[in-house]
Amino acid sequence: MRGHLPDENPGFVGRRTELERVSAALAEHRLVTVTGVGGVGKTRLALRAAHRAAERYPDGAWWTDLGQLDGERLLVALVADSVDLADHTPGMAATGLCRRLADDRLLLVLDSCEHLAEPCARLVAELLAAAPGLTVLATSRRPLGVAGEETIALDPLPPAGPDALALLRRAAGEDFPAAGPAGEICVRLEGIPLALELAAAQIRLQSAEAVRDQLGSRLDAAPGARFDLLAHTERVWPSRHQTLRAAIGWSHELSTPLERLLWARLSVFRGPFDLASATAVCTGGPLDRATLPEALDGLVRASVVRPPDAAGRHRMLDTIREYGATWLDRTGEAGTVADRHAAHFRGLAGRAETEWHGARQLCWYRTVDAHHTDLRTALDRLLRTDPDAALDLVGSVAFAWSCRGRLREARDGLEQALLLSEARGRVRARALWALGVTLVLQGEFGPAQDVSERCAREARHAEYAEPAGAGVGPGAGTETGAGIETGAGTGSGRDRPGDLTLDAAALAGLLALTTGRPTAAHVVVGHVLDAARGGPADSAARLRCHLVRVFALTGLGRLAEAREKALRLRALCEELDEHWTRTALEYQLALTGLLEGDPVAASGHARAMLEGTRRLGASLGVALGLDVLATALAAAGEGERAADVSGTGEAYWRSTGQPRRGLPGLRALHEKYTDTVRASIGEPAYEEIFVRALTGLPQDGLDRALRGPGQHG
């Protein structure tokens, strides 16, 4: 089935009437918003309703968690990412999303809209106008206010009814009788699901009788004496639901002092976090490396923090995180902890860049992807407080973001940091290089040319004008810091180009290749490689320059030389366990095979490229690989398989928001052999297969493409 929805929570209880109301509303209205206070179960109901309705939408049901955003700037990018649109276009962000959804019949779920209600309303109105087949299901603490919106207010579970008791039983793992302490707890907590879960956690630690008595003394007290907390906004704590506020405050008071301190500090994480990140950000004072794990375990036992997932990552519900943030403000630590959070993720970004060239490349690539939300949060903090550090962070991760298809975010972060930061040298040269690559991938060749020239000037400044040892950031003076810009691995350093100059040359070469100038690409990287000492394995920059030279040789028609150099580079990448360059080399070898008239060899290399791009999650790379595979299959006379792969390729191209692109030589070959197989199997047959693949599940089409000759199932 198309789309992506999170797995349902096995603890879903009751809500049969509400589920029917949402289902009926989705059948009649294009915008349905489930409203209610925090903790009432809006997300669970929307997820259950989306799973139930998904089969009615041929183009799938897609989930977007907006709780991770701290502002509207990346709203469109997040929604685009959630519907598998790796938007590579340079225009207005919403334009590509509207184009992606225009002809589809799909369900888009926007969860936790309340803090972005106005920008969400504008985006939803624009999408609904552009995409007649789109239905939106939103959850928010208040309606979005869009014309035609159907609002379903979600109340707590009936306190004295069976569903509230069933939820408490399930969460506590005990089969309580209906009459007695458990029933009284449900009534006192007004059937609010989150409050019941917090009470169930305490029941597991104490007993139902003890929890009933504690809640009785707490909730029967005067409102001002229920717990010690600064007044919160009506948006989070409506006056009619002070019970939830009291339940969370009660859980807070039952926590140990170290658990309360950790709760507050963990509120700076907007995405999932692991123990290592929590330790780096939250230690200080009595909370140290020895005491933090126990405090974290205590918060998990109390259901304040969710248990770790398969990857060891925890998370907090928004309502509980907001409560912790209020306490963090009250302690006066909010700025300090936010700065530690930013410093930690800046360091993580730096380590990822350091280890890009080697066996841990794929591991760090996935780590950067897993921590994307908090890397963005850290970048936003540094843009406000330390633009030079922001430039260092985004320069470290922007290439990985671009590889992942997050071109808009990479460009946005780089352009902001370059504008605000006055840092010179290595960090600026590296950021300009990453921005240049991003612009080339977006097809913005004019701006890319300007950035390429600025990158070359900054590289020269860093490697020949800066004092030895100068640099910005935690990597200064190391292999990823000043050592590179002063010519690490190049003898005396000042008389030969270092890695910054090599990367500037690789960028200039990439731009020349994509604009049909292989001679210029060959000259620019050849000049720098000839002047620099060392081999391609010495650094990522050297490897990138050698890669550009191989593509340039291909474009120049020096195919035997290009293939021989590519095979040597690929063997080197296999020895290093380097994935990105190896994948690009498979593309080049596939293209060389086509140009040499060997479609069987080209098919094998194309499939190897597709395996690599799938591991990297690079939709643009998948689209390029499918094109070369379709061309190879057509050249081999396999018309039906060529049509199938080409249709799948078109689906992936549409997910990038771009028309088909690629090297000029491949485009000509693709058109030539496609025309041949269209004629051989007949235009109607070709179109039928092509459209079936285009409208089917892209992942299924990719799986078919990856099966070699004679492989089935």
Side-chain angles (χ1 to χ4, degrees):
M1 183 179 295
R2 301 186 80 148
H4 169 70
L5 295 173
D7 293 335
E8 289 195 72
N9 190 314
F12 189 90
V13 171
R15 299 295 196 193
R16 183 174 304 169
T17 300
E18 295 91 335
L19 187 59
E20 293 298 335
R21 287 183 61 201
V22 174
S23 298
L26 287 173
E28 296 291 331
H29 302 274
R30 296 184 61 211
L31 171 60
V32 178
T33 304
V34 179
T35 64
V37 298
V40 80
K42 301 183 295 296
T43 297
R44 289 187 183 182
L45 178 64
L47 183 57
R48 174 59 64 92
H51 274 284
R52 173 190 270 199
E55 63 183 16
R56 299 207 306 260
Y57 299 92
D59 296 297
W62 306 82
W63 185 270
T64 309
D65 175 12
L66 300 180
Q68 60 188 281
L69 293 180
D70 197 21
E72 66 176 283
R73 187 159 50 85
L74 295 173
L75 171 62
V76 177
L78 182 63
V79 175
D81 192 51
S82 73
V83 296
D84 279 355
L85 172 61
D87 189 3
H88 291 65
T89 56
M92 294 295 292
T95 303
L97 185 57
C98 289
R99 189 163 50 240
R100 156 72 171 84
L101 303 180
D103 299 322
D104 287 351
R105 285 182 55 204
L106 59 78
L107 174 65
L108 175 63
V109 188
L110 302 177
D111 186 40
S112 301
C113 296
E114 54 275 345
H115 62 305
L116 299 170
E118 292 182 5
C120 277
R122 292 194 298 269
L123 177 60
V124 167
E126 188 172 354
L127 293 178
L128 290 174
L134 172 66
T135 299
V136 176
L137 173 60
T139 72
S140 179
R141 291 171 187 165
R142 58 190 176 95
L144 298 183
V146 176
E149 178 181 27
E150 176 72 4
T151 301
I152 297 177
L154 187 62
D155 293 320
L157 297 167
D163 290 342
L165 184 63
L167 191 155
L168 188 68
R169 285 169 171 165
R170 183 186 290 270
E174 293 189 37
D175 189 15
F176 307 112
E184 295 177 48
I185 290 170
C186 293
V187 172
R188 286 192 173 276
L189 293 180
E190 300 178 6
I192 301 172
L194 177 56
L196 293 172
E197 287 189 351
L198 294 171
Q202 292 301 326
I203 289 173
R204 294 195 300 268
L205 299 173
Q206 305 178 57
S207 67
E209 291 80 2
V211 168
R212 176 200 58 190
D213 295 342
Q214 290 172 12
L215 285 173
S217 62
R218 178 59 60 202
L219 296 176
D220 290 341
R226 287 179 179 176
F227 54 89
D228 184 18
L229 177 65
L230 297 176
H232 219 300
T233 63
E234 283 294 299
R235 178 176 64 81
V236 181
W237 309 110
S239 57
R240 69 184 185 278
H241 277 301
Q242 294 297 322
T243 299
L244 176 60
R245 182 180 176 185
I248 298 177
W250 167 68
S251 292
H252 188 262
E253 290 186 1
L254 290 176
S255 301
T256 68
L258 288 182
E259 290 168 357
R260 291 198 291 268
L261 181 59
L262 180 58
W263 184 342
R265 291 176 177 174
L266 286 173
S267 67
V268 298
F269 289 95
R270 297 201 72 87
F273 56 88
D274 53 25
L275 177 59
S277 293
T279 301
V281 173
C282 299
T283 51
L287 196 61
D288 56 29
R289 291 181 175 275
T291 56
L292 186 143
E294 183 179 350
L296 181 58
D297 287 343
L299 293 177
V300 171
R301 288 194 297 272
S303 291
V304 171
V305 171
R306 293 306 192 199
D309 60 17
R313 295 189 296 266
H314 300 269
R315 68 180 309 143
M316 300 173 78
L317 292 179
D318 288 344
T319 306
I320 291 175
R321 183 178 59 78
E322 290 164 354
Y323 185 98
T326 302
W327 275 96
L328 189 63
D329 284 338
R330 190 176 187 185
T331 65
E333 286 192 334
T336 301
V337 178
D339 287 341
R340 282 208 301 264
H341 175 275
H344 169 68
F345 283 100
R346 180 188 174 196
L348 183 145
R351 292 193 299 277
E353 184 196 22
T354 301
E355 300 203 38
W356 178 265
H357 184 63
R360 289 180 55 78
Q361 182 187 89
L362 194 58
C363 173
W364 275 108
Y365 180 84
R366 290 171 176 165
T367 298
V368 166
D369 199 44
H371 290 290
H372 180 70
T373 298
D374 280 291
L375 282 165
R376 283 289 344 186
T377 301
L379 175 59
D380 289 343
R381 171 74 179 176
L382 292 173
L383 285 170
R384 295 191 299 270
T385 62
D386 189 349
D388 291 353
L391 187 65
D392 182 55
L393 186 155
V394 72
S396 296
V397 298
F399 184 64
W401 285 358
S402 292
C403 291
R404 182 65 174 80
R406 294 191 167 102
L407 296 181
R408 287 188 181 277
E409 292 183 70
R411 181 175 179 177
D412 175 74
L414 287 163
E415 289 181 336
Q416 283 199 75
L418 284 163
L419 180 65
L420 295 173
S421 172
E422 297 180 356
R424 296 294 309 275
R426 172 184 173 272
V427 265
R428 182 164 289 270
R430 183 188 54 183
L432 287 166
W433 165 75
L435 178 58
V437 172
T438 302
L439 291 169
V440 170
L441 292 175
Q442 285 189 313
E444 290 269 62
F445 301 130
Q449 181 64 45
D450 174 65
V451 169
S452 176
E453 293 168 2
R454 290 165 57 196
C455 179
R457 290 195 297 269
E458 197 65 36
R460 286 196 297 271
H461 169 80
E463 294 183 343
Y464 300 109
E466 279 192 349
V472 176
T478 69
E479 188 180 5
T480 57
I484 284 178
E485 65 197 56
T486 56
T490 59
S492 63
R494 295 286 169 174
D495 58 338
R496 292 183 182 275
D499 279 1
L500 295 178
T501 299
L502 285 159
D503 260 337
L507 171 58
L510 174 64
L511 180 57
L513 285 172
T514 52
T515 51
R517 297 177 291 123
T519 300
H522 188 264
V523 169
V524 70
V525 296
H527 175 74
V528 175
L529 285 172
D530 289 344
R533 290 178 182 160
D538 289 350
S539 71
R542 283 171 172 77
L543 197 55
R544 285 188 280 262
C545 271
H546 282 277
L547 176 65
V548 170
R549 185 154 67 178
V550 164
F551 274 97
L553 289 170
T554 307
L556 291 170
R558 294 159 61 177
L559 302 181
E561 186 180 358
R563 185 179 65 255
E564 184 268 332
K565 288 185 181 297
L567 290 171
R568 283 195 303 185
L569 275 182
R570 189 184 66 174
L572 184 60
C573 290
E574 290 171 350
E575 184 179 330
L576 291 170
D577 199 20
E578 199 277 355
H579 291 261
W580 183 83
T581 306
R582 191 192 324 177
T583 297
L585 286 166
E586 295 289 2
Y587 178 71
Q588 184 276 336
L589 287 164
L591 182 57
T592 302
L594 280 172
L595 293 169
E596 291 183 321
D598 189 349
V600 175
S603 297
H605 291 300
R607 289 192 180 91
M609 181 212 177
L610 288 169
E611 289 284 7
T613 52
R614 182 160 68 171
R615 281 194 297 270
L616 292 169
S619 59
L620 179 60
V622 171
L624 288 166
L626 287 167
D627 273 1
V628 74
L629 177 59
T631 305
L633 291 169
E638 298 186 52
E640 293 181 354
R641 297 190 67 205
D644 182 54
V645 172
S646 191
T648 302
E650 178 64 22
Y652 274 93
W653 276 114
R654 292 186 183 184
S655 78
T656 72
Q658 290 191 357
R660 271 188 155 101
R661 287 194 7 224
L663 296 177
L666 177 62
R667 290 199 296 271
L669 287 171
H670 183 77
E671 292 173 5
K672 171 187 173 183
Y673 289 119
T674 298
D675 288 345
T676 301
V677 295
R678 279 179 181 272
S680 67
I681 68 172
E683 185 73 19
Y686 186 95
E687 280 300 313
E688 180 184 352
I689 298 169
F690 181 92
V691 171
R692 187 165 61 238
L694 172 61
T695 56
L697 291 175
Q699 183 59 55
D700 288 350
L702 180 57
D703 288 341
R704 291 193 303 273
L706 285 169
R707 295 178 197 133
Q711 292 180 294
H712 304 283

